[in-house]
Amino acid sequence: MKKGIIIYQSKYGATKKYVGWLQEMTGFHCVEIPRATLDEAAQYGIVVLCGGIYASGIAGLSFLKKNSGKLKGKKTAVFCVGASPYDEGALAEIQERNMTGDLKGIPLFYGRGAWDESKMKFMDRALCKMLQKSIEKKDSSTYEPWMKALVSAAGQSCDWTDKKYLEPLVEYLRGEEGM
């Protein structure tokens, strides 16, 4: 059995950047979700799914949900990427919302991504602007970390990607029976 595979979905490039770094660190094979097959994933002892967070959902997670029964017994992890700063509470909410059913015991890791409205599709940009406006109506002292990040990123191009976010995931993968 081969060591590991990274299956990913990247919309604007931050997730793909993390996947490149993770591949350098692990030597794992990489494949984008549209080209990923269960037969290919089943050849590996470790499966890592990487995807961006959009409206509290993790892009590409449907691949794991659909194939979780056939991937049982493999060391599996999910690495999600978002524009917000790392926040334990927010990550717990993402985990509770996404890691349900057969995915419940799979560890979830987080990396901060990037923000560039000029690269966003019209609908994503419009939704973000609406959300920003609704947040700005609130008392700023009540903002959650993701709200502060969203309001402060408006109109800017920001790249918060950093290899350090991969360290907990790589440590997990190196654990017993790992890499």
Side-chain angles (χ1 to χ4, degrees), residues 39-156:
D39 289 341
E40 184 176 23
Q43 296 176 34
Y44 294 88
I46 300 172
V47 177
V48 179
L49 181 112
C50 298
I53 300 172
Y54 302 100
S56 298
I58 301 171
L61 196 61
S62 58
F63 180 87
L64 276 187
K65 285 182 179 178
K66 185 170 79 176
N67 299 303
S68 64
K70 295 174 181 110
L71 295 173
K72 257 195 184 7
K74 302 201 177 288
K75 187 167 198 164
T76 307
V78 174
F79 184 83
C80 58
V81 179
S84 297
Y86 179 82
D87 178 72
E88 289 277 341
L91 188 59
E93 287 178 32
I94 295 290
Q95 186 157 14
E96 187 176 313
R97 179 182 181 124
N98 291 276
M99 308 307 284
T100 60
D102 290 343
L103 306 184
K104 195 160 184 116
I106 296 175
L108 180 67
F109 300 89
Y110 180 81
R112 192 165 187 198
W115 178 272
D116 189 344
E117 292 172 17
S118 69
K119 291 182 179 178
M120 289 182 188
K121 293 181 180 176
F122 172 77
M123 189 56 116
D124 290 341
R125 194 171 47 252
L127 289 170
C128 287
K129 292 246 186 249
M130 285 175 32
L131 184 56
Q132 286 167 333
K133 285 183 182 190
S134 74
I135 291 169
E136 288 170 345
K137 293 177 185 175
K138 298 179 180 209
D139 177 359
S140 62
S141 68
T142 66
Y143 285 3
E144 293 180 41
W146 70 268
M147 293 173 172
K148 289 178 189 171
L150 185 64
V151 170
S152 66
Q156 296 186 47

